[in-house]
Amino acid sequence: MGRVAALADEVAERLGRPAVFIEVCGTHTVAISRLGLRSLLAGRVELRSGPGCPVCVTDHQEIDMMVDLARLPGVTLGTFGDMLRVPGSRSSLERERAGGADVRIFYSPLDAVAFAEANPEREVVFLGIGFETTAPAVAASLARARAKGVKNFSLFSAHKLIPPALRAVLSDPELKLDGLILPGHVSAVTGRRAFDFIVKEYGLPSVISGFDPMDILIALHELLLQLLRGEARVANKYTRVVREEGNLDARKRIAECFEEVDVPWRGLGVIPESGLSLRETFRDFDARFKLNIEPAPPTPLYPPGCACKEILRGKLLPPECRLFSNVCTPVHPVGPCMVSSEGACAAYYRFERFSPVGGGI
Ligand code: SF4
Ligand code: SF4
């Protein structure tokens, strides 16, 4: 920590301001908050959060379609827990469940396939939410359902891809950044090379990091060193997990099942080729076609006063939202960044709201 702080001092002096880094991944956001690193480095390094929590970036439009699915008779909707409370424009899955819809939490898509097999009278729709990391397991569940002849299982894919989202964030001329901490698990699938565009197109230092305290300190050290030396490269400091070309088997599974499509992200709008939709060869498992779900109209609604849009773009910090911790809390969340356990607002609320960077409330 001492070496990072000393280097941060040197960089801040050189820049005449604190270095500004963005941590892309929600798990990094939580780890950094839990460690109290933002406070320890206050005045020398500013650590902002990015669009790396899959729950936070699921758009209103997608949630509206999930709500439409939950309302269909005979449908059981399977999802990960955090998704329940995220609001769409009309309702949330939690509200639908309270109203009688069969919405269940599954810890794995394979559990949802097993549930479908045991309940042939139900149409079990699994919500595919997540980044490059969850898509291979979902693809495997479709292969399992097909191999076992499970006909009452389908997928609503809201999967998203991190590199196109980063391109959208970095293209914002108002965002002044000095470097990025890249997501470790996503990189394990995509490989280090998938992020070379950050250096080529934006000339920014970047580092792929693991999630332990020492991993994060090593990542910060690397970014500060690159800045001091005037370098920019995508350093891989998570070599125990991440390879140059990624996990070829997982990438092949994704490519067999999905194709890249333009999709809406909460806070970022529609990003070209940033989502995964099922290929035609898997149409018999595609809930949108099987259950005739019409695309919901786009509704770029944000609760009044909620700054999630700016927070997901790394432009504001949670305590800069005027609703943070007074109106908006994990018990009464106003926006998705407070709902998800990996959301930036929830992380600040849990670990930093009494610290200097949390507003010292
Ligand atoms: S899946 Fe892993 S890398 Fe991706 S956002 Fe979650 S914790 Fe970060
Ligand atoms: S504190 Fe609440 S209202 Fe403010 S940005 Fe975060 S989630 Fe939205």
Side-chain angles (χ1 to χ4, degrees), residues 287-348:
R288 295 177 203 233
F289 290 94
K290 204 170 168 187
L291 300 170
N292 243 337
I293 287 292
E294 291 294 324
T299 49
L301 291 176
Y302 295 91
C306 173
C308 278
K309 197 173 167 185
E310 285 73 29
I311 287 166
L312 291 167
R313 289 166 172 266
K315 288 166 89 169
L316 283 184
L317 296 169
E320 292 173 308
C321 169
R322 63 186 165 85
L323 305 186
F324 177 75
S325 103
N326 44 53
V327 175
C328 182
T329 66
V331 179
H332 297 291
V334 176
C337 300
M338 191 61 96
V339 173
S340 165
S341 56
E342 290 196 347
C345 298
Y348 267 77

Side-chain angles (χ1 to χ4, degrees), residues 260-303:
E260 293 170 11
V261 289
D262 306 352
V263 292
W265 290 58
R266 197 183 287 246
L268 301 176
V270 175
I271 304 177
E273 297 184 359
S274 66
L276 294 175
S277 174
L278 280 174
R279 288 190 182 279
E280 218 170 311
T281 44
F282 280 89
R283 200 146 273 185
D284 48 332
F285 287 102
D286 192 333
R288 295 177 203 233
F289 290 94
K290 204 170 168 187
L291 300 170
N292 243 337
I293 287 292
E294 291 294 324
T299 49
L301 291 176
Y302 295 91

Side-chain angles (χ1 to χ4, degrees), residues 10-342:
E10 219 176 311
V11 170
E13 202 180 312
R14 175 94 54 98
L15 296 175
R17 56 167 175 80
V20 180
F21 300 140
I22 200 167
E23 85 268 355
V24 175
C25 157
T27 306
H28 280 145
T29 298
V30 173
I32 287 168
S33 287
R34 186 184 284 127
L35 286 171
L37 273 181
R38 292 178 221 278
S39 293
L40 288 171
L41 293 172
R44 311 154 174 171
V45 172
E46 198 173 292
L47 289 160
R48 293 169 175 259
S49 306
C53 162
V55 173
C56 303
V57 296
T58 302
D59 193 67
H60 296 91
Q61 197 181 357
E62 293 170 316
I63 293 175
D64 289 348
M65 291 169 80
M66 294 172 195
V67 164
D68 289 342
L69 280 167
R71 287 178 181 173
L72 291 177
V75 163
T76 293
L77 209 62
T79 181
F80 300 124
D82 272 0
M83 220 37 234
L84 283 190
R85 298 169 70 209
V86 181
S89 67
R90 304 176 250 123
S91 181
S92 67
L93 295 177
E94 186 176 57
R95 204 183 302 164
E96 294 304 309
R97 185 159 80 163
D102 188 12
V103 181
R104 293 171 191 248
I105 294 169
F106 290 106
Y107 293 100
S108 140
L110 288 175
D111 292 347
V113 175
F115 181 87
E117 211 180 350
N119 296 275
E121 75 291 354
R122 307 288 302 170
E123 174 67 26
V124 178
V125 180
F126 188 75
L127 303 179
I129 292 154
F131 300 127
E132 288 86 341
T133 36
T134 42
V138 170
S141 74
L142 293 176
R144 168 83 64 91
R146 182 165 275 175
K148 292 189 125 192
V150 181
K151 303 258 183 257
N152 60 322
F153 177 77
S154 51
L155 175 75
F156 178 86
S157 178
H159 287 290
K160 296 188 172 49
L161 302 170
I162 283 288
L166 283 185
R167 208 175 243 121
V169 168
L170 296 175
S171 302
D172 183 343
E174 287 176 20
L175 184 69
K176 305 290 179 224
L177 266 192
D178 298 304
L180 295 96
I181 300 178
L182 296 170
H185 301 139
V186 166
S187 306
V189 176
T190 63
R192 190 208 59 80
R193 277 191 212 127
F195 295 99
D196 274 341
F197 75 94
I198 296 172
V199 172
K200 284 194 194 114
E201 294 172 32
Y202 304 97
L204 285 171
S206 311
V207 58
I208 295 169
S209 169
F211 301 89
D212 292 341
M214 193 50 84
D215 288 327
I216 294 170
L217 287 175
I218 289 171
L220 287 170
H221 189 268
E222 168 68 27
L223 286 180
L224 291 163
L225 215 53
Q226 284 192 40
L227 269 179
L228 211 55
R229 292 175 177 162
E231 296 171 358
R233 59 199 172 86
V234 182
N236 180 6
K237 294 291 174 184
Y238 199 26
T239 48
R240 61 189 189 273
V241 173
V242 176
R243 311 259 172 280
E244 275 294 287
E245 72 290 355
N247 181 331
L248 293 178
D249 187 44
R251 287 174 58 189
K252 184 165 163 258
R253 271 198 214 166
I254 295 175
E256 278 167 2
C257 263
F258 297 102
E259 58 192 352
E260 293 170 11
V261 289
D262 306 352
V263 292
W265 290 58
R266 197 183 287 246
L268 301 176
V270 175
I271 304 177
E273 297 184 359
S274 66
L276 294 175
S277 174
L278 280 174
R279 288 190 182 279
E280 218 170 311
T281 44
F282 280 89
R283 200 146 273 185
D284 48 332
F285 287 102
D286 192 333
R288 295 177 203 233
F289 290 94
K290 204 170 168 187
L291 300 170
N292 243 337
I293 287 292
E294 291 294 324
T299 49
L301 291 176
Y302 295 91
C306 173
C308 278
K309 197 173 167 185
E310 285 73 29
I311 287 166
L312 291 167
R313 289 166 172 266
K315 288 166 89 169
L316 283 184
L317 296 169
E320 292 173 308
C321 169
R322 63 186 165 85
L323 305 186
F324 177 75
S325 103
N326 44 53
V327 175
C328 182
T329 66
V331 179
H332 297 291
V334 176
C337 300
M338 191 61 96
V339 173
S340 165
S341 56
E342 290 196 347

